[in-house]
Amino acid sequence: MAKKAGAKKKAPDKKAQLNDDIGEENRLTMWRLQLEVRQVEQRLHDLFFQNLIKGTSHLAIGQEAISAGFGAAMRPDDYTFCTYRGHAHTLVRGASMTGMIGELMGKECGMLKGKGGSMHLTDVEHGAMGSYAIIGAHLPIAAGAAWQAQYNKTGQIAACFFGDGTTNIGAFHEALNFAVVWNLPVVFVCENNLYMEYTPISEVTAVEHPAADRACAYGLPSIIVDGNDADAVFRVATTAFDKARAGGGPSLIEAKTYRYSGHSRADPATYRPEGELEEWMKKDPIPMYRQRLLDFGVKEDVVSGIEEAVLKAVDEATEEAKASPPPPLESAYEDVWADGGASWRN
Amino acid sequence: MAKKAGAKKKAPDKKAQLNDDIGEENRLTMWRLQLEVRQVEQRLHDLFFQNLIKGTSHLAIGQEAISAGFGAAMRPDDYTFCTYRGHAHTLVRGASMTGMIGELMGKECGMLKGKGGSMHLTDVEHGAMGSYAIIGAHLPIAAGAAWQAQYNKTGQIAACFFGDGTTNIGAFHEALNFAVVWNLPVVFVCENNLYMEYTPISEVTAVEHPAADRACAYGLPSIIVDGNDADAVFRVATTAFDKARAGGGPSLIEAKTYRYSGHSRADPATYRPEGELEEWMKKDPIPMYRQRLLDFGVKEDVVSGIEEAVLKAVDEATEEAKASPPPPLESAYEDVWADGGASWRN
Amino acid sequence: MAELTYREAVIEGIAQEMRRDEKVVFLGEDIGKAGGVFKATVGLWDEFGDLRVRDTPISEQAILGAAMGAAMTGLRPIAEIMFSDFLAVCWDIVTNQIAKSRYMTGGQVDLPLVIRTANGGGARFGAQHSQSVENWAMMIPGIKVVAPSTPADVKGLLAAAIRDPDPVIFFEQKSLYATKGEVPDGEHVDEIGKAKVVREGDDVTILALALMVPRALEAAERLQAEAGISASVVDIRSLVPLDTQTILSQVKKTARVVTVEENPRLCGWGAEIASIIAEECFYDLDMPIVRITTPHIPLSSADELEDAMIPSADRIFETVRQEVD
Amino acid sequence: MAELTYREAVIEGIAQEMRRDEKVVFLGEDIGKAGGVFKATVGLWDEFGDLRVRDTPISEQAILGAAMGAAMTGLRPIAEIMFSDFLAVCWDIVTNQIAKSRYMTGGQVDLPLVIRTANGGGARFGAQHSQSVENWAMMIPGIKVVAPSTPADVKGLLAAAIRDPDPVIFFEQKSLYATKGEVPDGEHVDEIGKAKVVREGDDVTILALALMVPRALEAAERLQAEAGISASVVDIRSLVPLDTQTILSQVKKTARVVTVEENPRLCGWGAEIASIIAEECFYDLDMPIVRITTPHIPLSSADELEDAMIPSADRIFETVRQEVD
Ligand SMILES: Cc1ncc(C[n+]2csc(CCOP(=O)(O)OP(=O)(O)O)c2C)c(N)n1
Ligand SMILES: Cc1ncc(C[n+]2csc(CCOP(=O)(O)OP(=O)(O)O)c2C)c(N)n1
Ligand SMILES: [Mg+2]
Ligand SMILES: [Mg+2]
């Protein structure tokens, strides 16, 4: 388990090889997943400017290595819980791009039938158990899913993603203590991108590492990982998942990263100190991972083949979503209850 | 600052003298305060069995050294925030015994006019800013009072008392982080009496010391004190108050203690392991402190004079409270609003 | 038929369902080894053990969050929130998460869970442990709301709530725990969403819930005996779904209606029902719709003050007599 | 008179009071340096500085707890809860602590504080960021509840709320932030607890709040023009205290009444007002009391679905025309 990993490494570490503990297949998967997230989010961004998407959305451009690394380490029947910044975590579980783009466009083909929007992406069939838009709530909910796995001895784990700002709300504390006391197979992942909405996390947090420095309060080891390096993330994820599946209980992991765009589409991010974004752009996970694959001897056409395939998939999904009609008005009266309806009286 | 104090000492420590850093006056004050708490609570207990008190009440018998030690270290204009188990903390600020006993009897002379009862004792004039009956709520509220002191540069501090079980609720975490980030003059005191209601705290908490082992999560030192030794409590209180008044920010203190009665009057406390109560009775703060005063050379008649005076005061207060009428029915319609009334319409 | 207390009926309802279905699990503070602060869960831990009856830390958000996560993934949790006032510390999980998740996900998630909680006044516990908050729950789209008045209904409706595929908040009135009543032997499962006409009358309909039902019945007996007024009493039993058919048919029959609710006045369930009647039965009414409520004031702890606030049989009697005249 | 946006009026209201009274302090998430997520606090941090305009962690219980503790000890805090949906995470502090503490202590504590929050739908934010929860607040004894519909009312009522000795929840409708209106120059302080008849009419009274007011006015114009129906429109402005005098006098005058509320149906403020009318003006009414509400369903994010749920001018027009006929 990476403990307080030092400065970021641009090159893979010396002993790393294409077919080391991670292996080529996983690496190509992570390459694809990172691209899917990046491409879909850039497309969403464009669609906003074409006014085809309303409401809000929160991009994770710059943070893709985290979702890709964890996603690649998960079993298909594992559970993901994430936030309004959840396109990434939902996509890496295999959710439909059309369903996602369509949802943001408010179309009938949307994965939530137009009822949830960007902040509530969910694909239960693929283990994406929901995106939660009230800070902190999904941490105890993820613990509950892990409780089911423990109770039924299924070997599943629940992975729960949230931001640095989330570590200051009460539900964080309750969930962590609860999960440890019940020894639940849940892995809490704090994506520390340095900011809550517009306020630097350092201005509102009593400790330097908002998650890792709190692990002590639950008897957990302090774990920090380079969140821009998918391989490092994959390793830390695998270790935590193995521990959880083996009955070793929860983990709390802090992944250091940065979001390139503002908090949400309304935010031009003028609060950032000059040069900060540029520094982080140098550590962009995607060119870095591309270079690593080439350094490992993966052929350029394999690498770019995946790029092209992803772009094509995103294009197709976009067209499909555009072609989909808006949801029928009657659908607003569906699915409040298990019987499919919305009636509160007879 | 006492850090992880070792086993309890029966005798005062070697260098201690009647007129050391604590001094005779403070010690006699603490003697009186401990007796006041013990005597009033025993009286309340008796009044219950005479069916003169309804509702519930939560005694702190066995825990008196904590309220006495902190109370003696406070300035008259400091703020106290406590819980439903708050008779002790309210009394030591100088609140009226008649007002307290009367309140529990639901009399007009009650300090809350019969509107609050045992769980909400408050005496603003004496700095007792309320007893709060929902776990955790008063921690951020105490931080707010400390914010006022900081903003107005008054030099006041807020002392906030709560139980071990309270360390597992969200508001605890939010308040601690908030107080540290704002560097507020608030002292959080966890009275660890080993149980929440009926469940041992060790069964539901991820760490051994529910408060002290969480201090790390807020960049605070871990402080544990023998909560049955008023002198030790006084010292730790003084240090924390001095630090807060000097702009050094909040402290979190865990005082180890034990309650002799059940959680509330409904509770026979059958869940305790055999012999546990008896072991703790040996460390009863009151006979221990009495012996200490005598060892220091305080005259027996001074020591017992205080005992008699307290008992007399409790007797008188009891009679006064008994003689008071019930609150007039119209009073139920008073004091919802600042204008004295309860009207929600014109 | 066995005579049980209301609290024993809680235990029986839970035990019946836990025996039937391994997926039913139960969590809360002090519910296990200690049997609950109201002794309404005594024996369950002994019978079902540590894995199915779980004591928790004082972490209401974690309790309901865990219940939700478990329900979404296949269990059928029962979560206890010790006093209904404490719903306020986990209100986000109730209203923003549990109530909305099925809808927001386009129907992808099932949330078969029950939140049991001790509601209401009468125990001199003061304003933070005595509230009737059934209107808080009624006001949130996406949760069912049940509040029984008798041991038989406790058992039958609790069993129904546990089997229900939707989230249910089950309000137990704490002053009723010691009351007794006949409960059918063997498996007993009732239906959520059906009001019960517990007294037939011709002159006026009294709509009541939970603790207000026995008080309304007592008032109705006195109205008959002392004023010759024949009152129907309807035990609403379930606020969501609301059995407007039964309610409106009684109102039409008697042309006069009085609601009796323990929640404080503003936006209480009585207001909702009154507004339904005022819209749908306006021309059937012979008299203004009268609401009897706890006034819009926090509750006091002193006996006299608390008793003066919560609607009593006397107040119901006096009000109805005066209005129906 | 200057023309201001609703959001500028928020800034002016706060600034006016902060200039006047050093005890007024302001805290919340991203309200300071960043000027608020709705840009409704821009410039306050620059003018009043770090000590009076304070950014907080994401800790709503701490925000409101701190506001309460500060108010009890002499400050006059304004706390922002970014979206009203988030009141659920700090509901205990609102309902069990702030609302009850004066009463429970026999009048010992003052709680002069304001909770500002962005309420309501229309921004396609989905069910957890679009709720109208003014009924949550109205239902709790001990808090005042204000919801302005115009920039002038924003400034005047916000100033009044800050000066009020009691806790006030101030609901700003987020879809109104960009709307404009005339605001009196100089110091402007309004009175809490007064409704405003914003259109006089004879045939029917439409009772509305916040975003529903402009929609009711639009419907009223069309009712006049297209159906010859003359509608009064009352902007309720304050739910607690409730100006029943103004409301009931309009109802008596027109003998017909329709409420238009954005909160979901069950136990909305419309129910409360309907029940007051049904009890106190029953014999003055010529027609059933009609409620137009957001249906009792969480809100969807898709434009078409959200728009179909929240009462529109069209729906008000159609409903009133049909009912008044
Ligand atoms: C309880 C609550 N408070 C405030 C918000 C508003 N809000 C949405 S995102 C956000 C910042 C979250 O920061 P962080 O946890 O670091 O996640 P990030 O957005 O950086 O991924 C805030 C304050 C919310 N959604 N819920
Ligand atoms: C939010 C909330 N949950 C549960 C309770 C019920 N309750 C009252 S006291 C108590 C135990 C508190 O334990 P601790 O903090 O150790 O304090 P102690 O009673 O031991 O002094 C509980 C669970 C409550 N009052 N508030
Ligand atoms: Mg962040
Ligand atoms: Mg304890």
Side-chain angles (χ1 to χ4, degrees):
Chain A
M1 222 166 275
K3 223 182 162 185
K4 307 229 173 186
K8 281 197 60 279
K9 306 155 253 168
K10 289 272 167 55
D13 81 61
K14 293 291 169 271
K15 282 176 296 177
Q17 299 293 334
L18 184 57
N19 283 307
D20 60 7
D21 57 319
I22 296 179
E24 178 171 3
E25 195 184 328
N26 283 324
R27 286 203 166 87
L28 291 181
T29 298
M30 289 191 272
W31 175 233
R32 179 175 52 81
L33 294 178
Q34 291 181 84
L35 289 171
E36 285 180 4
V37 173
R38 174 74 52 104
Q39 299 293 354
V40 166
E41 293 214 317
Q42 278 176 335
R43 180 61 46 87
L44 295 174
H45 182 82
D46 296 344
L47 290 169
F48 273 129
F49 285 91
Q50 296 164 37
N51 207 23
L52 291 174
I53 294 182
K54 312 284 166 52
T56 183
S57 97
H58 305 78
L59 304 181
I61 295 180
Q63 308 186 185
E64 297 90 344
I66 300 170
S67 49
F70 276 95
M74 290 176 86
R75 239 169 59 175
D77 62 342
D78 287 337
Y79 300 120
T80 292
F81 290 82
C82 59
T83 72
Y84 50 89
R85 199 181 304 288
H87 310 140
H89 297 290
T90 308
L91 271 178
V92 301
R93 298 307 308 278
S96 142
M97 287 182 188
T98 307
M100 184 169 302
I101 298 172
E103 185 58 33
L104 270 82
M105 295 175 77
K107 297 301 189 82
E108 187 171 26
C109 72
M111 62 168 71
L112 315 172
K113 304 180 186 166
K115 286 174 165 173
S118 161
M119 297 205 283
H120 299 295
L121 299 173
T122 303
D123 183 351
V124 169
E125 209 188 311
H126 290 92
M129 302 305 291
S131 306
Y132 297 78
I134 312 266
I135 296 292
H138 65 306
L139 280 75
I141 300 170
W147 175 28
Q148 179 283 130
Q150 181 190 62
Y151 183 83
N152 286 323
K153 304 194 179 67
T154 63
Q156 296 162 288
I157 59 87
C160 180
F161 302 89
F162 51 90
D164 42 281
T166 303
T167 63
N168 291 327
I169 202 160
F172 166 87
H173 179 63
E174 294 193 14
L176 264 289
N177 183 64
F178 189 88
V180 170
V181 171
W182 286 26
N183 197 39
L184 297 174
V186 52
V187 176
F188 295 105
V189 183
C190 174
E191 301 185 61
N192 184 351
N193 60 12
L194 308 187
Y195 291 89
M196 34 185 275
E197 297 209 0
Y198 313 148
T199 301
I201 191 65
S202 57
E203 290 183 11
V204 293
T205 310
V207 287
E208 187 188 346
H209 304 292
D213 290 350
R214 261 84 179 248
C216 56
Y218 315 102
L220 293 173
S222 169
I223 303 174
I224 294 182
V225 65
D226 177 352
N228 283 25
D229 181 340
D231 286 354
V233 171
F234 181 88
R235 288 200 174 94
V236 95
T238 304
T239 309
F241 293 165
D242 288 349
K243 175 183 162 191
R245 286 193 225 284
S251 297
L252 173 62
I253 296 166
E254 180 169 334
K256 299 280 184 202
T257 188
Y258 197 77
R259 59 167 155 75
Y260 295 161
S261 39
H263 166 72
S264 67
R265 77 173 180 128
D267 171 25
T270 51
Y271 44 81
R272 293 168 169 176
E274 214 171 317
E276 188 181 77
L277 174 61
E278 292 65 28
E279 271 312 299
W280 278 93
M281 294 286 283
K282 293 183 197 150
K283 306 180 219 170
D284 189 334
I286 294 199
M288 187 177 87
Y289 209 77
R290 188 178 210 289
Q291 188 58 48
R292 181 175 303 169
L293 292 176
L294 297 175
D295 290 349
F296 275 144
V298 180
K299 295 260 161 54
E300 166 67 35
D301 63 345
V302 173
V303 172
S304 56
I306 294 177
E307 286 169 327
E308 283 152 27
V310 168
L311 192 59
K312 184 153 169 283
V314 177
D315 284 340
E316 284 171 9
T318 309
E319 292 316 309
E320 265 178 54
K322 283 185 181 168
S324 174
L329 289 189
E330 318 83 72
S331 73
Y333 296 88
E334 287 166 6
D335 288 329
V336 173
W337 307 118
D339 69 8
S343 167
W344 51 269
R345 61 179 289 186
N346 62 7
Chain B
M1 224 165 276
K3 222 181 163 185
K4 308 229 173 188
K8 281 196 61 271
K9 308 153 250 168
K10 288 275 166 54
D13 84 62
K14 292 291 169 270
K15 283 176 294 175
Q17 298 293 335
L18 185 56
N19 283 307
D20 58 9
D21 58 317
I22 296 180
E24 179 170 2
E25 197 185 325
N26 281 326
R27 285 206 166 85
L28 292 181
T29 299
M30 288 192 272
W31 175 231
R32 179 175 51 79
L33 294 178
Q34 291 181 83
L35 290 171
E36 285 181 5
V37 174
R38 174 73 53 103
Q39 298 293 353
V40 166
E41 291 215 317
Q42 278 176 337
R43 181 60 47 87
L44 295 173
H45 181 84
D46 296 345
L47 290 168
F48 272 129
F49 284 92
Q50 297 163 40
N51 207 24
L52 291 173
I53 294 183
K54 312 284 167 50
T56 183
S57 97
H58 305 77
L59 304 181
I61 295 180
Q63 308 186 184
E64 297 89 345
I66 300 170
S67 50
F70 276 95
M74 290 176 89
R75 243 168 56 176
D77 63 343
D78 287 337
Y79 299 121
T80 294
F81 290 82
C82 59
T83 71
Y84 52 89
R85 197 181 304 289
H87 310 140
H89 297 290
T90 309
L91 270 177
V92 301
R93 297 308 306 279
S96 143
M97 285 182 190
T98 306
M100 185 169 302
I101 298 172
E103 184 59 32
L104 270 80
M105 294 174 76
K107 296 303 188 83
E108 187 170 26
C109 72
M111 61 168 71
L112 315 172
K113 305 180 185 165
K115 286 173 165 175
S118 160
M119 297 205 283
H120 299 294
L121 299 172
T122 304
D123 183 351
V124 168
E125 209 188 310
H126 289 92
M129 301 306 290
S131 306
Y132 296 78
I134 311 266
I135 296 293
H138 66 305
L139 280 77
I141 300 170
W147 176 28
Q148 178 284 128
Q150 180 191 61
Y151 182 83
N152 287 323
K153 301 194 180 66
T154 63
Q156 297 161 287
I157 58 88
C160 180
F161 302 89
F162 52 89
D164 42 281
T166 304
T167 63
N168 292 327
I169 203 160
F172 166 87
H173 178 63
E174 294 193 14
L176 264 289
N177 183 65
F178 189 88
V180 170
V181 172
W182 286 25
N183 197 38
L184 298 173
V186 53
V187 177
F188 295 104
V189 184
C190 174
E191 301 185 61
N192 183 351
N193 61 12
L194 309 188
Y195 292 87
M196 35 186 275
E197 297 209 1
Y198 314 148
T199 301
I201 191 65
S202 58
E203 289 182 11
V204 293
T205 311
V207 287
E208 187 186 346
H209 304 293
D213 290 350
R214 260 85 180 247
C216 56
Y218 314 102
L220 293 173
S222 168
I223 303 175
I224 295 181
V225 66
D226 177 354
N228 283 26
D229 181 341
D231 285 355
V233 171
F234 182 89
R235 288 201 173 95
V236 93
T238 304
T239 309
F241 293 164
D242 288 350
K243 174 183 162 191
R245 286 193 226 284
S251 297
L252 172 62
I253 295 167
E254 179 168 333
K256 298 280 184 201
T257 188
Y258 197 77
R259 60 168 154 74
Y260 294 163
S261 38
H263 165 73
S264 69
R265 78 173 180 125
D267 171 25
T270 50
Y271 44 81
R272 293 166 168 177
E274 215 171 318
E276 188 180 77
L277 174 61
E278 293 65 30
E279 271 311 300
W280 278 93
M281 294 286 282
K282 292 184 198 151
K283 307 179 219 170
D284 188 334
I286 294 200
M288 188 176 86
Y289 209 78
R290 189 179 210 288
Q291 189 57 49
R292 182 176 302 170
L293 292 175
L294 297 176
D295 290 350
F296 275 144
V298 180
K299 294 263 163 53
E300 166 67 34
D301 62 346
V302 173
V303 172
S304 55
I306 293 175
E307 286 169 327
E308 283 152 28
V310 169
L311 193 58
K312 185 154 166 283
V314 176
D315 284 340
E316 283 172 9
T318 308
E319 293 316 311
E320 266 177 53
K322 282 185 181 168
S324 173
L329 288 189
E330 318 83 72
S331 73
Y333 296 87
E334 288 165 5
D335 288 330
V336 173
W337 308 117
D339 68 9
S343 168
W344 51 269
R345 61 180 287 184
N346 61 7
Chain C
M1 290 272 213
E3 178 153 275
L4 295 183
T5 60
Y6 190 94
R7 66 160 56 82
E8 286 163 346
V10 173
I11 301 171
E12 287 230 344
I14 297 174
Q16 170 183 297
E17 295 307 303
M18 291 190 79
R19 281 179 206 129
R20 193 183 57 86
D21 185 352
E22 282 262 311
K23 289 190 194 139
V24 179
V25 289
F26 180 29
L27 79 169
E29 293 161 18
D30 302 301
I31 59 155
K33 272 169 247 176
V37 297
F38 294 107
K39 301 287 164 231
T41 61
V42 170
L44 295 171
W45 181 79
D46 303 288
E47 178 171 354
F48 301 103
D50 251 346
L51 290 180
R52 296 185 66 194
V53 178
R54 301 200 68 162
D55 284 323
T56 69
I58 307 174
S59 307
E60 279 80 3
Q61 295 188 76
I63 293 170
L64 293 195
M68 174 171 168
M72 287 168 75
T73 53
L75 297 183
R76 301 184 85 88
I78 308 167
E80 175 173 310
I81 297 298
M82 195 186 284
F83 286 73
S84 62
D85 316 68
F86 309 164
L87 285 170
V89 299
C90 47
W91 194 233
D92 174 55
I93 309 285
V94 177
T95 181
N96 289 327
Q97 314 305 334
I98 290 172
K100 296 181 171 51
S101 285
R102 172 186 290 280
Y103 188 80
M104 288 195 306
T105 61
Q108 288 185 64
V109 298
D110 290 315
L111 288 154
L113 65 88
V114 177
I115 303 171
R116 288 182 46 241
T117 190
N119 193 43
R124 287 74 176 96
F125 284 166
Q128 291 184 343
H129 282 69
S130 305
Q131 292 169 86
S132 274
V133 302
E134 62 273 15
N135 58 332
W136 297 15
M138 187 180 193
M139 155 186 96
I140 305 300
I143 20 181
K144 295 181 177 173
V145 185
V146 175
S149 73
T150 66
D153 282 1
V154 165
K155 182 170 175 185
L157 290 172
L158 184 49
I162 296 168
R163 295 187 191 190
D164 200 278
D166 291 309
V168 180
I169 305 195
F170 193 82
F171 288 104
E172 300 163 14
Q173 217 293 351
K174 62 178 89 69
S175 293
L176 290 173
Y177 277 126
T179 59
K180 289 187 176 168
E182 298 282 311
V183 177
D185 295 323
E187 189 177 271
H188 175 47
V189 186
D190 204 328
E191 191 183 345
I192 293 179
K194 293 274 170 261
K196 223 187 234 171
V197 182
V198 289
R199 189 181 194 281
E200 293 274 3
D202 299 316
D203 300 330
V204 60
T205 297
I206 307 177
L207 301 174
L209 187 80
L211 181 61
M212 298 297 101
V213 175
R215 295 188 180 182
L217 281 170
E218 189 189 327
E221 294 304 326
R222 286 185 53 202
L223 284 164
Q224 188 75 65
E226 297 174 34
I229 294 171
S230 156
S232 271
V233 176
V234 178
D235 182 347
I236 293 173
R237 304 204 312 158
S238 153
L239 293 171
V240 180
L242 185 69
D243 184 359
T244 48
Q245 286 176 5
T246 300
I247 292 169
L248 297 182
S249 74
Q250 287 296 311
V251 171
K252 282 180 188 156
K253 190 179 82 176
T254 61
R256 297 186 190 87
V257 61
V258 175
T259 60
V260 189
E261 63 202 302
E262 191 179 341
N263 51 214
R265 160 96 202 191
L266 297 186
C267 302
W269 57 258
E272 181 58 42
I273 293 179
S275 82
I276 295 171
I277 295 169
E279 183 158 354
E280 301 180 24
C281 293
F282 180 74
Y283 298 107
D284 298 306
L285 290 177
D286 275 355
M287 153 190 131
I289 304 167
V290 175
R291 287 176 62 200
I292 302 174
T293 78
T294 297
H296 205 63
I297 295 178
L299 276 180
S300 284
S301 54
D303 326 31
E304 289 84 356
L305 301 186
E306 187 177 31
D307 288 341
M309 296 293 102
I310 300 175
S312 62
D314 272 1
R315 194 155 119 220
I316 302 168
F317 169 79
E318 291 299 347
T319 309
V320 175
R321 187 173 59 175
Q322 213 166 301
E323 296 289 340
V324 169
D325 243 18
Chain D
M1 289 273 212
E3 178 154 275
L4 296 183
T5 59
Y6 191 94
R7 66 159 55 81
E8 285 163 348
V10 173
I11 300 171
E12 287 230 343
I14 297 174
Q16 170 182 296
E17 296 308 301
M18 290 190 80
R19 282 180 205 128
R20 193 185 57 86
D21 184 352
E22 283 261 312
K23 288 191 195 139
V24 179
V25 288
F26 181 28
L27 78 169
E29 293 160 17
D30 303 299
I31 59 155
K33 271 169 250 176
V37 297
F38 295 105
K39 301 286 163 230
T41 62
V42 169
L44 295 171
W45 181 79
D46 304 289
E47 178 171 354
F48 301 103
D50 250 346
L51 290 180
R52 296 184 67 194
V53 178
R54 301 200 67 162
D55 284 323
T56 68
I58 307 175
S59 307
E60 279 80 3
Q61 295 187 76
I63 293 170
L64 292 194
M68 173 171 169
M72 288 168 73
T73 55
L75 297 182
R76 301 184 85 87
I78 309 167
E80 173 173 310
I81 297 297
M82 193 186 287
F83 286 73
S84 63
D85 316 68
F86 309 164
L87 286 170
V89 300
C90 46
W91 194 233
D92 174 55
I93 309 286
V94 177
T95 181
N96 289 325
Q97 314 304 335
I98 291 173
K100 295 181 173 50
S101 285
R102 172 184 290 279
Y103 187 81
M104 288 195 306
T105 62
Q108 289 184 64
V109 298
D110 289 317
L111 288 154
L113 65 88
V114 177
I115 302 170
R116 287 182 47 241
T117 189
N119 195 42
R124 289 72 176 98
F125 284 166
Q128 292 185 342
H129 282 68
S130 306
Q131 291 169 87
S132 274
V133 302
E134 63 272 16
N135 59 332
W136 296 16
M138 185 178 194
M139 155 186 96
I140 305 299
I143 20 182
K144 295 182 177 171
V145 184
V146 175
S149 72
T150 66
D153 282 0
V154 165
K155 181 171 175 185
L157 291 171
L158 184 49
I162 295 168
R163 295 187 192 191
D164 200 279
D166 291 309
V168 180
I169 305 196
F170 193 83
F171 288 104
E172 299 163 14
Q173 217 293 353
K174 62 178 86 69
S175 294
L176 291 174
Y177 277 126
T179 60
K180 289 185 177 171
E182 298 283 309
V183 177
D185 296 324
E187 188 177 270
H188 176 47
V189 187
D190 204 327
E191 190 182 346
I192 293 180
K194 293 274 170 262
K196 223 187 234 170
V197 181
V198 289
R199 187 180 197 282
E200 293 274 0
D202 298 316
D203 299 330
V204 59
T205 298
I206 306 177
L207 302 173
L209 187 80
L211 181 63
M212 298 299 100
V213 175
R215 295 187 180 183
L217 282 170
E218 186 188 330
E221 294 304 325
R222 285 186 52 203
L223 284 163
Q224 189 75 65
E226 297 173 35
I229 294 171
S230 155
S232 272
V233 176
V234 179
D235 182 347
I236 294 174
R237 304 204 313 158
S238 152
L239 293 172
V240 180
L242 186 69
D243 184 358
T244 49
Q245 285 175 6
T246 301
I247 292 169
L248 296 182
S249 75
Q250 287 297 313
V251 171
K252 282 178 188 158
K253 189 179 83 175
T254 60
R256 297 185 190 87
V257 60
V258 175
T259 60
V260 189
E261 63 203 301
E262 191 180 340
N263 52 213
R265 159 96 203 193
L266 297 186
C267 301
W269 57 259
E272 182 57 43
I273 293 179
S275 82
I276 296 171
I277 296 169
E279 184 157 354
E280 300 180 25
C281 292
F282 181 73
Y283 299 107
D284 299 304
L285 291 177
D286 275 356
M287 150 189 133
I289 305 167
V290 175
R291 288 176 62 199
I292 302 175
T293 79
T294 297
H296 205 62
I297 293 177
L299 275 180
S300 285
S301 55
D303 326 32
E304 290 85 356
L305 301 186
E306 188 178 31
D307 288 342
M309 296 292 103
I310 300 176
S312 60
D314 271 1
R315 194 155 117 218
I316 302 169
F317 169 79
E318 291 299 346
T319 309
V320 175
R321 187 173 58 173
Q322 211 167 304
E323 296 289 340
V324 170
D325 243 17

